[in-house]
Structure formats: structure tokens, C-alpha cells
Amino acid sequence: MREVDEAWIEEAVTAYRRIEERQAEFQRSLSAIEVSVRSPDGLIEVVVAGEGGVRNVAVVGALRSQTAAEINRSIQAALFAAKDAADWARRRLHQEVFGDYPRLGGPS
């Protein structure tokens, strides 16, 4: 019969709870983070949350004689930049929250 190491089990449960707490903190923080980006021409501004959801799209530059196609390109450029910014924010937050945990399943 195999002997059960109660101390090891208790340590594993405690570690699991710490990870769950950090995951919850990470999710709360993601929803609180906002990143703002502008299209390369400065016409459109997009505010995106850390989890990637678009919170606001606004025209912040002067609409002079832009065509609909030019405005659409500005919107698309700002949305793509916002996606990249949200990805960056998630990576940075993840590093802050989980940076001291060793990686599992592969080389460090």
C-alpha cells in the first residue's frame, strides 16, 4: 500500500489556491486596463480594453476631404493597432502577475 504524504498534498493545494487567486486578479486587471491608439494619419482614435474589447472609436482629427475609403482605412488601421496594443497590455500584465512562477511543460 502506498503511503500518502499529507504535507505534500497540503502544499499542492495551497499552491493551487495561490494560482487561482492570481488568475482572478489577472482577469480583474484585464477588464480595468484601457489602451488608446490612433490611426497613422491621426484621424481615428480607438480605446480597447485589456481583454481586447473595443470600448470606443472616435474621429479625433479633422474630416476635410477624405473619401469614405480613406476613412475606412483609417478606422481599420486604428483597430489593428488597438488589437496589437491590447495583446501587448495582456502580455505585460501577465508578466507582472505571473512573472515569478516557473513555466510548466517546457524549457524556461
Side-chain angles (χ1 to χ4, degrees):
M1 187 165 209
R2 189 178 253 179
E3 202 171 303
V4 175
D5 186 346
E6 295 293 331
W8 181 87
I9 291 172
E10 186 61 35
E11 185 178 323
V13 168
T14 301
Y16 180 78
R17 286 186 182 136
R18 277 194 311 264
I19 291 171
E20 280 188 325
E21 289 169 5
R22 291 229 178 151
Q23 285 174 330
E25 174 190 345
F26 179 70
Q27 292 302 319
R28 283 190 305 273
S29 296
L30 271 181
S31 64
I33 290 175
E34 287 188 344
V35 181
S36 175
V37 297
R38 288 193 178 190
S39 60
D41 60 7
L43 183 65
I44 304 297
E45 181 179 71
V46 174
V47 177
V48 64
E51 75 273 0
V54 174
R55 297 235 171 118
N56 191 41
V57 177
V59 176
V60 293
L63 287 175
R64 293 187 186 97
S65 60
Q66 285 92 349
T67 66
E70 291 169 330
I71 294 170
N72 286 337
R73 281 193 293 276
S74 293
I75 293 169
Q76 287 177 337
L79 288 171
F80 286 132
K83 180 199 174 303
D84 290 343
D87 290 344
W88 173 83
R90 273 192 301 280
R91 286 191 307 271
R92 183 170 177 152
L93 179 62
H94 190 275
Q95 178 60 34
E96 288 175 14
V97 174
F98 295 105
D100 59 344
Y101 277 89
R103 291 182 55 102
L104 300 175
S108 305

